[in-house]
């Protein structure tokens, strides 16, 4: 799996999860339970991970939704 994006914003994670789900792209939110360690402060970013075979399609989907600036590596 490859990192699609890294953010502290739960709204972005929700929107991206919905977009990926509608496109049939499987994803996983890593570090989602780190709030237990950080005391629910939201300082540890969550990572949206996508299978390597789907990463290009996921990046294209993000750009099409005007969310390209949220990509971990927007140059790709």
């Amino acid at each position: 799996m490859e990192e699609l994006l890294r953010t502290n914003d739960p709204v972005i994670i929700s929107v991206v999860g919905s977009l990926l789900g509608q496109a049939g792209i499987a994803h996983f939110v890593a570090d989602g339970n780190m709030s237990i360690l950080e005391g629910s402060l939201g300082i540890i970013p969550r990572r949206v991970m996508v299978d390597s075979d789907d990463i290009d399609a996921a990046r294209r989907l993000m750009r099409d939704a005007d969310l390209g600036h949220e990509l971990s590596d927007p140059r790709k």
Side-chain angles (χ1 to χ4, degrees):
M1 295 197 99
E2 294 187 42
E3 182 178 305
L4 179 65
L5 66 93
R6 182 182 301 226
T7 184
N8 292 335
D9 189 340
V11 174
I12 294 293
I13 292 173
S14 178
V15 168
V16 170
S18 179
L19 287 171
L20 292 172
Q22 289 175 8
I25 299 173
H27 67 284
F28 171 74
V29 178
D31 307 322
N33 295 320
M34 293 303 291
S35 63
I36 295 167
L37 296 175
E38 68 184 19
S40 298
L41 297 175
I43 56 176
I44 298 175
R46 281 47 170 180
R47 297 173 293 144
V48 176
M49 309 295 289
V50 175
D51 190 80
S52 298
D53 293 338
D54 295 325
I55 193 71
D56 291 332
R59 287 183 178 131
R60 193 168 33 256
L61 181 67
M62 292 282 293
R63 284 190 205 94
D64 290 346
D66 290 329
L67 294 170
H69 61 280
E70 294 289 342
L71 291 170
S72 290
D73 189 354
R75 295 172 288 154
K76 292 184 178 181

